[in-house]
Amino acid sequence: MAEKSSELFDKIVNLSKRRGIVFQSAEIYGGFRSTYDYGPIGVLMLRNVKDAWWRSMVQLRTDVVGLDASILSPPAVWEASGHLATFTDPLVDCKNCGARHREDKLDDPTQCPTCGVKGELTEPRDFNLMFKTHAGPVVDEGAVAYLRPETAQGMFINFSNVQVTSRKKPPFGIAQIGKSFRNEITPGNFVFRTREFEQMEMEFFVAPEEAEKWHEYWCQERLNWYIDHGMSKDNVCLREHTQDELSHYSSATYDVDFKFPWGWDELEGIAYRGDYDLTQHSEHSGKPLEYFDQVNNKRYRPHVIEPAAGATRTMMAFLMDAYHEEEVNGETRTVLRLHHRIAPYKIAVLPLSKKPDLQGKSQEVFTKLASQWMCDYDETQAIGKRYRRQDEIGTPYCVTVDFDTLEDNAVTVRERDTMEQVRLPIEELATWFAERLS
Ligand code: ATP
């Protein structure tokens, strides 16, 4: 089983490189550890993960609005949030081989997992994970700025701006997708833990007495999001944090965990943060971050439920969950059984041959479909090979334009998972796909 899992991990890394999903960053200079570039297929898939999240969290709801806050911020924000003091991991060094580890991730806290020697690890030191820089030309303490290690604080410090301008009342949420940066001690497992990554976070502000109810609601809602987007129920679950795992701001947290090749690990945390953040920023900024409930003539500080997911990590989980190999006519077919909303391309248009009149017709079909869906166009190699290439990147449908098309104005549509084919008039394609790709 373990062997099978690590095999899957290698297959995903290879597929990612071979098909332009994820590349090692600065590869021509030997690579820059723990940073990755998303290639032509990866950028589509990552964008689809983020769009699917935004659709569920913002577009389809009346109680959540969006925000895009800055990445650079002054120390005051991180002083108030508690990150300057407590956003640390326990760092240990091995005196034998020099390797560095996060003590809280070691199976045996006395043994170095790199060289295997016992009793040579130093006492843990708190290592702050925030990237520090300087804004402007003068490099002094007054110019210190930080790259955000989470997007959440942008939502808290804009609480009043957003609440007043959107005229929302609790319960309501602010959602944001964007890059975050953490100087991780032990990045690794491909894009699972990197120093630069993307998050999808939502802060949901509620009356204190309703917090528990909303926490339960969001845990269920977020677990269902992964399943509704095609993830196997056997590969995702909710897990409650133990007391010693809880962050400094949280009194209860559940994680959505995914069955990665190395075991169950976190995709998303759904934390009950109480009024910690709004209180901290009120006290440090001197601005009251509260809500005045006119109906009950009551002023209060809302409590917060936060579903915080990683976009890049989630994309990797979708790749692993969707990866299948099967025997077809004595050959191995690799297929990504991705939900159509996550699949990089929805449709591939494939002319049977490179004859100019077939190309012309195919371009016509492509232009028609591409105005509504992300489509690929491929005219190289034999048709069977092209189907396999599309299966491997999870394209749900292939449309083949053949010589009969020139006579009957119809095309063959092949479905990825069943490999079944149907013949459809070109003029019916848009309606047919609209029913299946919404
Ligand atoms: P961990 O315990 O794995 O370090 P965390 O509990 O500190 O993560 P959160 O602060 O809850 O993570 O961040 C929310 C989400 O952001 C995580 O569930 C994960 O999906 C994503 N995330 C956090 N750190 C990283 C990272 N270094 N690389 C990629 N994604 C990350």
Side-chain angles (χ1 to χ4, degrees), residues 4 11-12 15 45 111 113 195 303 318 342 372 401:
K4 218 172 144 202
K11 282 179 176 166
I12 295 296
L15 179 75
M45 188 170 169
Q111 184 177 24
R195 297 202 169 108
H303 281 207
F318 274 125
I342 306 294
Q372 292 187 67
V401 178

Side-chain angles (χ1 to χ4, degrees), residues 319-354:
L319 276 176
M320 292 185 158
D321 182 80
Y323 189 93
H324 286 86
E325 283 179 5
E326 59 191 29
E327 281 291 301
V328 177
N329 301 332
E331 276 181 38
T332 305
R333 170 172 101 119
T334 301
V335 53
L336 290 186
R337 295 194 199 280
L338 290 168
H339 187 279
H340 64 78
R341 231 173 262 142
I342 306 294
Y345 293 111
K346 315 303 171 197
I347 305 164
V349 178
L350 312 173
L352 194 63
S353 97
K354 283 188 193 162

Side-chain angles (χ1 to χ4, degrees), residues 32 41 86 91 124 154 159 195 222 229 292 307 344 359 373 394 402:
F32 185 48
I41 305 294
T86 58
L91 168 69
F159 170 76
R195 297 202 169 108
R222 291 305 307 149
H229 287 85
F292 180 61
Q359 281 178 326
W373 297 283
D402 55 28

